[in-house]
Amino acid sequence: MLKLFDLSGKNDLRFSPPCWNVKLCLILNNIEFLTIPVRFTDKDKIAFSKQKLVPILDYKDGFVCDSWNIINWLNENYPEKKIFINNSSKNFSYFLYLWTSRQLLPILFKIIAHEIPNVLEGDDIDYYIKTREERINGPITKFVPFVSSSIEEFRKLIDPIRKIIIDNNYISGKNPGIEDCIFFGNLKWVDVCSPCNLLDNKDPVYQWYKNLLKIINKQIN
């Protein structure tokens, strides 16, 4: 069975956007897998990969790192699942992968950076604060005055996604697919790490997110 090394926090909370993108892809395609919880300071668990990040998908003959690489591996090794329906689907998915990681996640980080320590424990708290403050060249609280404006910026930025959902129910069409998986982790990250109202509950994107949560809960339970 496939093993997915998955970022874990306090009380086994799973909050990594790329890890959730892969998990949703596996769930939607009914591919059996186990998750191996990895905390920020559990670098020894993934030392075999010769890099320091999750997700990592471990399979019978090896492993693959990075959510986009994992999704492509699944597409190649489970051709009957049709992860990418066609080249257009793959190209749009790659755009979403790049857009979310380079445009959306930095905005979302500004919204929840100061709250992520609340979902961590032990040495992970100090590790997170130290590494992130080095990355942003300041305290993790530096973005707190801009939380409201960052939320508004995010809501405006995803308007094209909102329009697609209004027209089709899901980003992939009438049923959820890989494009939905790639976008999902963004909202899940904020949902589990912060009580902020990232989206109005009447927003079609909010309803889309809740529909995917129902699918996940049904599959897991």
Side-chain angles (χ1 to χ4, degrees), residues 48-100:
F48 69 90
S49 70
K50 301 188 185 304
Q51 54 92 60
K52 299 179 180 181
L53 302 175
V54 291
I56 303 167
L57 187 71
D58 183 68
Y59 57 94
K60 183 178 180 181
D61 299 317
F63 62 89
V64 58
C65 308
D66 182 86
S67 60
W68 179 249
N69 292 337
I70 292 172
I71 290 169
N72 276 275
W73 184 90
L74 292 171
N75 184 63
E76 293 171 4
N77 288 272
Y78 291 85
E80 73 281 3
K81 300 296 183 180
K82 295 184 179 179
I83 307 295
F84 300 120
I85 298 174
N86 51 39
N87 283 335
S88 294
S89 170
K90 183 175 182 178
N91 289 336
F92 182 47
S93 296
Y94 189 46
F95 163 78
L96 285 175
Y97 167 78
L98 295 174
W99 181 58
T100 56

Side-chain angles (χ1 to χ4, degrees), residues 132-139 142:
R132 272 50 183 181
E133 289 190 342
E134 288 176 351
R135 187 178 300 174
I136 64 176
N137 194 31
K142 68 183 289 185

Side-chain angles (χ1 to χ4, degrees), residues 7-218:
L7 189 61
S8 173
K10 183 166 56 179
N11 299 321
D12 201 34
L13 181 73
R14 309 300 175 89
F15 59 96
S16 162
C19 289
W20 267 111
N21 295 345
V22 173
K23 283 187 289 185
L24 181 56
C25 178
L26 291 165
I27 290 170
L28 288 180
N29 288 283
N30 296 308
I31 299 174
E32 292 188 0
F33 69 102
L34 295 174
T35 62
I36 309 298
V38 180
R39 299 196 173 194
F40 277 125
T41 53
D42 283 341
K43 301 303 183 185
D44 57 316
K45 278 190 177 182
I46 60 174
F48 69 90
S49 70
K50 301 188 185 304
Q51 54 92 60
K52 299 179 180 181
L53 302 175
V54 291
I56 303 167
L57 187 71
D58 183 68
Y59 57 94
K60 183 178 180 181
D61 299 317
F63 62 89
V64 58
C65 308
D66 182 86
S67 60
W68 179 249
N69 292 337
I70 292 172
I71 290 169
N72 276 275
W73 184 90
L74 292 171
N75 184 63
E76 293 171 4
N77 288 272
Y78 291 85
E80 73 281 3
K81 300 296 183 180
K82 295 184 179 179
I83 307 295
F84 300 120
I85 298 174
N86 51 39
N87 283 335
S88 294
S89 170
K90 183 175 182 178
N91 289 336
F92 182 47
S93 296
Y94 189 46
F95 163 78
L96 285 175
Y97 167 78
L98 295 174
W99 181 58
T100 56
S101 60
R102 299 181 183 185
Q103 301 295 322
L104 296 188
L105 289 182
I107 295 173
L108 295 177
F109 179 75
K110 292 179 181 179
I111 296 170
I112 67 171
H114 64 292
E115 296 188 285
I116 292 178
N118 297 329
V119 303
L120 305 175
E121 61 184 356
D123 293 341
D124 274 16
I125 297 176
D126 291 337
Y127 174 88
Y128 167 80
I129 293 174
K130 181 177 184 297
T131 56
R132 272 50 183 181
E133 289 190 342
E134 288 176 351
R135 187 178 300 174
I136 64 176
N137 194 31
I140 57 172
T141 55
K142 68 183 289 185
F143 302 119
V144 170
F146 311 106
V147 167
S148 295
S149 60
S150 294
I151 289 175
E152 288 305 311
E153 182 182 3
F154 176 77
R155 291 179 178 184
K156 291 178 182 178
L157 195 60
I158 64 169
D159 194 58
I161 296 294
R162 184 178 292 110
K163 182 65 167 62
I164 292 173
I165 290 172
I166 290 172
D167 291 345
N168 299 286
N169 295 332
Y170 293 98
I171 303 171
S172 298
K174 297 302 179 184
N175 297 298
I178 187 58
E179 294 87 351
D180 297 277
C181 298
I182 292 172
F183 190 69
F184 174 81
N186 301 277
L187 302 192
K188 184 65 174 176
W189 188 36
V190 176
D191 186 22
V192 300
C193 292
S194 171
C196 78
N197 294 319
L198 182 64
L199 295 169
D200 185 275
N201 59 14
K202 293 182 181 180
D203 191 318
V205 181
Y206 177 85
Q207 297 302 323
W208 165 89
Y209 174 70
K210 289 298 183 180
N211 288 339
L212 288 175
L213 284 183
K214 290 178 183 177
I215 292 173
I216 292 172
N217 293 332
K218 183 177 179 180

